[in-house]
């Protein structure tokens, strides 16, 4: 029997948070007092402090321990050990690196995993046949298709071929729809990691102005959805007023938005060289962010200017 969607969200989808949280996070704006505030919108005293560096590595270790305990508890109840199937297409070095990290992360918390490796000329029909087989396999708890896929394959079609309850990446149209409707769903890993940082550090979002720099469907959009939605709904949100900025946002408008912001989340740029980190992917500050979002970089480095 496959792990139900909610349970697998705890045991497997959170692995993405562990991978995403490595490194440090710089919180340049208002960071309230006590960590772990569980009130609606994570309200706090509203006291503003200087920049605080949070160790994403330490947070990831803590989450890893929690997942490991959850896996063992699940198994102790007589359930099957969770199993993750990863479909990897082609020979993209970055994709192979990411998959190896995911396999190691799964092993570290007691989740079984496998890699289904296909050549770069694999047909879309064959990939859909594979996802159909994995959907029907009771041994498989979760499925992940490593992106990007070759140009001749439609990523959206393949992602939608995965059963929503086994969609570890949270890219299925049903999971995205449930996210937008404030319902429980599997959430894309990077957005989930940002949300986890906010909750665990007690960052106040209720009634605050938040700028999300980046509008990708896998990162910027789900982050914005989590932050602006109602804190009393089925899947509580952050009750923030969210502005999404992107490369075509006029610089003068971007400056205004960042000056008004209580929290800035950078979900854009070149992920290859970690320097200064904002509360998004753990690899934030780069020449591309400096080019497209100079005011964000300025405010991160010099929050009092």
């Amino acid at each position: 029997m496959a792990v139900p969607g909610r349970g697998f969200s705890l045991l497997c989808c959170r692995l993405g948070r562990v991978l995403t949280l490595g490194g440090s996070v710089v919180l340049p704006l208002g960071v309230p007092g006590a960590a772990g505030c569980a009130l609606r919108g994570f309200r706090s005293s509203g006291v503003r402090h200087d920049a605080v560096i949070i160790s994403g590595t330490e947070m990831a270790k803590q989450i890893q321990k929690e997942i490991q305990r959850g896996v063992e508890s699940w198994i102790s109840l007589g359930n099957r050990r969770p199993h993750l199937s990863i479909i990897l297409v082609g020979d993209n070095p970055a994709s192979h690196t990411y998959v190896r990290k995911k396999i190691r992360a799964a092993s570290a918390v007691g989740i079984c995993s496998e890699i289904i490796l296909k050549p770069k000329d694999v047909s879309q029909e064959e990939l859909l046949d594979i996802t159909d087989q994995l959907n029907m396999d009771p041994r498989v708890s979760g499925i992940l298709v490593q992106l990007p896929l070759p140009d001749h394959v439609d990523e959206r079609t393949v992602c939608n071929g995965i059963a929503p309850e086994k969609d570890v990446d949270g890219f299925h149209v049903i999971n995205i729809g449930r996210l937008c409707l404030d319902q429980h769903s599997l959430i894309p890993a990077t957005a989930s990691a940002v949300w986890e940082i906010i909750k665990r550090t007690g960052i106040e979002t209720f009634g605050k102005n938040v700028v999300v720099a980046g509008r990708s469907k896998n990162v910027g959009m789900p982050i914005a959805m989590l932050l602006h939605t109602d804190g009393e709904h089925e899947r509580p949100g952050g009750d923030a007023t969210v502005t999404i900025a992107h490369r075509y946002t006029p610089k003068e408008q971007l400056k205004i938005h960042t000056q008004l912001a209580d929290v800035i989340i950078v979900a854009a740029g070149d992920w290859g060289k970690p320097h200064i980190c904002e509360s998004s992917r753990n690899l934030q500050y780069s020449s591309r962010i400096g080019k497209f979002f100079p005011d964000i970089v300025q405010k991160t480095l010099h929050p009092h200017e």
Side-chain angles (χ1 to χ4, degrees), residues 13 15 47 88 113 136 153-154 159 181 200 212 243 250 263 268 282 285 292:
C13 186
L15 284 175
V47 177
L88 177 58
S113 60
M136 299 297 292
V153 177
D154 183 71
C159 289
L181 292 173
R200 287 175 183 259
V212 176
T243 299
V263 179
N282 62 336
Y285 175 62
F292 294 120

Side-chain angles (χ1 to χ4, degrees), residues 16-37:
R17 302 180 194 173
V18 174
L19 293 171
T20 304
L21 286 170
S24 300
V25 176
V26 175
L27 304 176
L29 301 176
V31 181
C37 178

Side-chain angles (χ1 to χ4, degrees), residues 1-264:
M1 177 179 177
V3 180
R6 183 65 177 161
F8 197 71
S9 175
L10 168 68
L11 301 180
C12 192
C13 186
R14 288 177 68 189
L15 284 175
R17 302 180 194 173
V18 174
L19 293 171
T20 304
L21 286 170
S24 300
V25 176
V26 175
L27 304 176
L29 301 176
V31 181
C37 178
L39 298 176
R40 169 183 168 138
F42 313 108
R43 280 177 278 190
S44 74
S45 63
V47 177
R48 296 174 68 90
H49 300 284
D50 291 335
V52 176
I53 297 177
I54 298 170
S55 172
T57 300
E58 292 304 312
M59 192 179 293
K61 289 178 181 178
Q62 179 59 36
I63 294 173
Q64 188 178 60
K65 291 178 182 178
E66 293 170 8
I67 298 173
Q68 188 174 30
R69 289 195 295 266
V71 170
E72 295 310 317
S73 175
W74 174 261
I75 296 171
S76 69
L77 295 174
N79 297 299
R80 191 192 305 268
R81 183 174 294 276
H83 181 97
L84 173 65
S85 295
I86 302 176
I87 302 172
L88 177 58
V89 178
D91 51 7
N92 183 313
S95 292
H96 280 255
T97 297
Y98 288 137
V99 167
R100 284 196 299 270
K101 290 181 178 180
K102 291 169 185 177
I103 293 294
R104 285 199 297 267
S107 176
V109 298
I111 294 177
C112 298
S113 60
E114 65 175 336
I115 301 175
I116 301 173
L117 182 61
K118 305 304 293 185
K120 62 182 179 181
D121 59 353
V122 65
S123 69
Q124 180 170 299
E125 290 71 24
E126 183 176 352
L127 290 178
L128 291 174
D129 286 342
I130 294 172
T131 57
D132 284 343
Q133 294 171 16
L134 295 174
N135 288 338
M136 299 297 292
D137 189 344
R139 176 183 62 94
V140 176
S141 310
I143 305 166
L144 186 155
V145 177
Q146 182 62 42
L147 304 180
L149 293 174
D151 291 341
H152 68 277
V153 177
D154 183 71
E155 291 182 353
R156 177 55 55 198
T157 299
V158 173
C159 289
N160 285 337
I162 300 172
E165 67 274 13
K166 294 188 178 185
D167 171 33
V168 173
D169 269 333
F171 293 162
H172 192 287
V173 64
I174 289 179
N175 280 322
I176 294 296
R178 291 179 64 85
L179 171 66
C180 294
L181 292 173
D182 305 352
Q183 298 175 347
H184 291 301
S185 66
L186 296 176
I187 300 171
T190 303
S192 183
V194 172
W195 192 232
E196 199 72 16
I197 291 170
I198 288 172
K199 291 190 293 183
R200 287 175 183 259
T201 57
I203 298 171
E204 181 179 4
T205 61
F206 182 87
K208 297 299 183 180
N209 290 315
V210 178
V211 169
V212 176
R215 58 179 177 180
S216 72
K217 303 307 178 190
N218 300 339
V219 183
M221 185 276 287
I223 289 173
M225 293 303 303
L226 289 167
L227 284 165
H228 91 270
T229 47
D230 197 313
E232 294 184 348
H233 284 180
E234 176 185 331
R235 191 269 302 143
D239 285 310
T241 300
V242 178
T243 299
I244 299 178
H246 49 79
R247 68 179 64 203
Y248 299 118
T249 301
K251 290 183 179 180
E252 61 275 11
Q253 291 298 317
L254 183 60
K255 181 177 181 179
I256 293 172
H257 291 314
T258 55
Q259 288 175 339
L260 293 174
D262 298 295
V263 179
I264 300 172

